[in-house]
Amino acid sequence: MSIRDNYLEILKRKDAAAKRSGRNPEDVMLMAVTKKHEPDELREAIDAGATDFGENKVQELLSKYDEIHPERWHLIGHLQTNKVRQIIDKVTMIHSVDSLKLAREINKRASAAGIVMDVLIEINLAEEESKTGISKGEVQELIEAIVSECESVRVRGIMCIPPRADAPEDSRKYFRETKGIFEEIKELDLPKERADIDTLSMGMSADFEIAIEEGSTIVRVGSSIFGQRDYR
Ligand SMILES: *Cc1c(COP(=O)(O)O)cnc(C)c1O
């Protein structure tokens, strides 16, 4: 199948998953994850209707940014503080905030650029050593710290990547737990202009339908749209 066909197929499955869980399909956004893929492939996805692209590495995002123009770019991978400056005026949302230090740097650069940056807090639920993200016990404290000192950052919700699994169903418990944390932080008494909690970024090629059933509002799909990545 072509990238166009793949994209339209995933879009259909996304909408169907939302409907069967009693949700409005418009409340779940399909993001195309473009890492390791070439500009021509990205254009094909845009032609099929893709609006939001996600990259996990700053360098790769920058190299595509001048050439490819989706409606929005998202940074979804680990971000080092010394690279914030390079992407601050190029992305709509940073999905991977996992420290106050990083939030402070985003705040400083956003403020200098005269914008407010939307961010998600990345949770590492299984507390895997190999992964970035904070543990669930630290989420509330981090959000409160960001809200109290980062005027040019707006917290929008949570992102998670469950542990690698053999079966997609294995991810369900992590999605469910993440949704629970999401509901808890929604209940916090936070000023809207600093924390407008409405975004839950979870679900990838293998398990996006399960993530939608469990409440995801952004699914990040790469290989099911663009094909397997070639890590040479
Ligand atoms: C690569 C990546 C994805 C997409 O993964 P696929 O399994 O190819 O859909 C989603 N989220 C993040 C953070 C990624 O790095």
Side-chain angles (χ1 to χ4, degrees), residues 33 35 56 76-77 159 161 203-206 220-224 227 229 231:
V33 176
K35 64 181 186 228
N56 69 332
I76 60 175
M159 186 270 252
I161 308 174
M204 323 203 309
S205 289
R220 310 178 309 266
V221 177
S223 46
S224 289
R229 288 178 289 272
Y231 286 99

Side-chain angles (χ1 to χ4, degrees), residues 176-205:
R176 191 166 291 174
E177 196 177 351
T178 306
K179 165 78 165 168
I181 298 164
F182 177 70
E183 291 300 331
E184 278 171 28
I185 62 171
K186 262 188 178 172
E187 294 306 312
L188 299 176
D189 188 20
L190 302 167
K192 266 258 178 217
E193 65 280 8
R194 299 278 181 88
D196 190 3
I197 309 295
D198 62 0
T199 306
L200 187 51
S201 170
M202 60 185 194
M204 323 203 309
S205 289

